[in-house]
Amino acid sequence: MTKTRRRAYAQQRPQDLGGGVWSVPVPIPGNPLGYTLVYAVDSPRGPVLVDAGWNHPDAWQALETGLAALGLDVSAVSGVVVTHFHPDHAGLAGRVRETSGAWIAMHEADAALVRLIHGLAEGEHRSFQADMLRRAGAGEGDVEAASAGRPHVPALPDRELRDGDLVDLPGRKLRAVHTPGHTPGHICLHLEDADRLFTGDHVLPDITPHIGIYPYDRDDVDPLGDFLDSLDRVAELGPLDALPAHEWIFPDVAARAAEIRHHHEEKLTRLAALLTRPLTIWETASMMTWNRPWDELAPVLRGMAAGEAAAHLRTLEARGQIDRVPGVHPVRFKAIDS
């Protein structure tokens, strides 16, 4: 697949994509991703948004003015479908609802997580983070830095979706496709009357989404395994045009899904080769390849890297290639044939 070079947010413009679909780039201040592509789909009751962007005054202004440039009014929005609960997707959904009376919909699994986040006090969240980092083998300096603060809390949804549900979009067929991995309730949205797929963060044209496991040492879930299965499911939809939440629109989502799956299979092979001796999750993450050296990663990014390492370790464990060393703390993993 020919790659398009990523453009900075300042070079992005609202676009009429044809067929009653528009895109508005909404900035993510201070984040290297730069922006979220918010989509609007025409409806007799008013446009329905796919995602809403980060909750920040600059982002809100960009959403309002971007829609206006396309002849749309944020006060006329009838609904917001959130592909997943992360703040660069769900952050402004609550403000859109306050402005227009729109409903907010997301998959039931992510809705459950949003309710959990709403119920956590600041101290509870910090204690959870610190304990998780220690169990992974992080040093106290990383524990203190990475567990500070609390993520933005998205608005509670009005509606919950399941796999195969049609979104409330009169005259169109917009179907939820459950694609867990990046989050438990991530969904893609298949615009069946136009052969387009809104992919959220599931399939992006150049980068791969973060797949982590939290707490790191869980053994009852396999998010990377779920993600790989979800890639196969998207590939089965065929060479649809992909409308992702970041970077740029691209053709043939099936081909890109296959590329991403191959990337993770190679990563799993390299990781299995490291486990000739017992390693903690933190040690494993420090030995893996990231976009910059481990020593240069900020504490929060180390925490995310550990989450991704943990997800890959869990998939190897689920496949029977590695096992947990019994009776040690923090938890350590080792290849079964070593």
Side-chain angles (χ1 to χ4, degrees):
M1 181 185 297
T2 301
K3 301 292 186 184
T4 301
R5 188 172 180 178
R6 191 190 309 184
R7 295 185 301 166
Y9 169 71
Q11 297 175 288
Q12 302 296 321
R13 299 291 182 269
Q15 293 187 64
D16 184 343
L17 303 176
V21 180
W22 301 268
S23 69
V24 177
V26 176
I28 313 172
N31 188 300
L33 275 175
Y35 56 89
T36 302
L37 288 171
V38 173
Y39 297 96
V41 185
D42 195 21
S43 159
R45 298 178 188 161
V48 168
L49 302 185
V50 176
D51 290 329
W54 190 272
N55 189 359
H56 186 278
D58 292 348
W60 175 252
Q61 182 180 24
L63 180 62
E64 270 195 312
T65 58
L67 289 172
L70 297 167
L72 306 172
D73 193 327
V74 71
S75 66
V77 171
S78 62
V80 182
V81 189
V82 177
T83 60
H84 59 295
F85 76 95
H86 288 166
D88 54 326
H89 298 259
L92 281 174
R95 186 158 181 186
V96 172
R97 180 169 61 190
E98 291 170 5
T99 302
S100 67
W103 45 261
I104 301 171
M106 67 176 65
H107 189 273
E108 59 184 359
D110 271 16
L113 284 173
V114 172
R115 288 193 294 271
L116 176 65
I117 295 168
H118 273 263
L120 281 178
E122 173 71 26
E124 290 176 305
H125 169 77
R126 188 169 297 183
S127 175
F128 170 85
Q129 286 282 100
D131 183 55
M132 176 179 72
L133 289 157
R134 290 189 184 99
R135 294 204 311 268
E140 282 305 311
D142 281 317
V143 169
E144 185 175 346
S147 60
R150 185 185 185 188
H152 293 278
V153 182
L156 289 164
D158 308 290
R159 305 179 181 186
E160 296 184 13
L161 297 170
R162 294 182 178 181
D163 183 55
D165 284 352
L166 285 172
V167 174
D168 183 8
L169 191 68
R172 308 297 298 265
K173 272 196 169 182
L174 185 64
R175 192 177 303 276
V177 182
H178 187 207
T179 49
H182 184 54
T183 70
H186 190 290
I187 53 173
C188 293
L189 293 154
H190 186 189
L191 190 58
E192 295 179 345
D193 54 274
D195 283 336
R196 287 168 157 173
L197 188 71
F198 300 97
T199 62
D201 280 0
H202 183 59
V203 184
L204 301 172
D206 189 44
I207 59 175
T208 57
H210 173 71
I211 309 297
I213 186 169
Y214 305 94
Y216 302 135
D217 55 357
R218 288 183 70 176
D219 62 0
D220 59 335
V221 293
D222 180 10
L224 180 58
D226 292 341
F227 178 67
L228 297 176
D229 290 344
S230 297
L231 288 173
D232 291 343
R233 185 170 186 206
V234 163
E236 290 168 1
L237 296 174
L240 303 178
D241 287 340
L243 283 69
H246 304 291
E247 300 189 314
W248 57 86
I249 294 165
F250 62 99
D252 199 349
V253 71
R256 178 58 181 154
E259 282 184 359
I260 296 172
R261 186 182 229 292
H262 180 69
H263 162 81
H264 281 287
E265 292 295 348
E266 286 190 327
K267 199 169 182 178
L268 286 164
T269 298
R270 292 194 300 270
L271 178 57
L274 293 176
L275 295 166
T276 55
R277 60 183 177 88
L279 295 174
T280 68
I281 294 168
W282 206 257
E283 288 169 340
T284 303
S286 72
M287 297 169 68
M288 293 172 69
T289 301
W290 308 105
N291 62 359
R292 65 187 69 177
W294 175 259
D295 289 343
E296 295 178 15
L297 292 177
V300 171
L301 294 179
R302 286 190 187 185
M304 292 182 67
E308 189 145 332
H312 283 74
L313 288 166
R314 175 67 190 123
T315 294
L316 289 173
E317 181 183 34
R319 292 179 177 183
Q321 294 178 250
I322 67 172
D323 207 352
R324 297 171 191 235
V325 178
V328 298
H329 178 82
V331 63
R332 293 178 183 271
F333 293 84
K334 188 173 184 290
I336 287 176
D337 58 355
S338 297

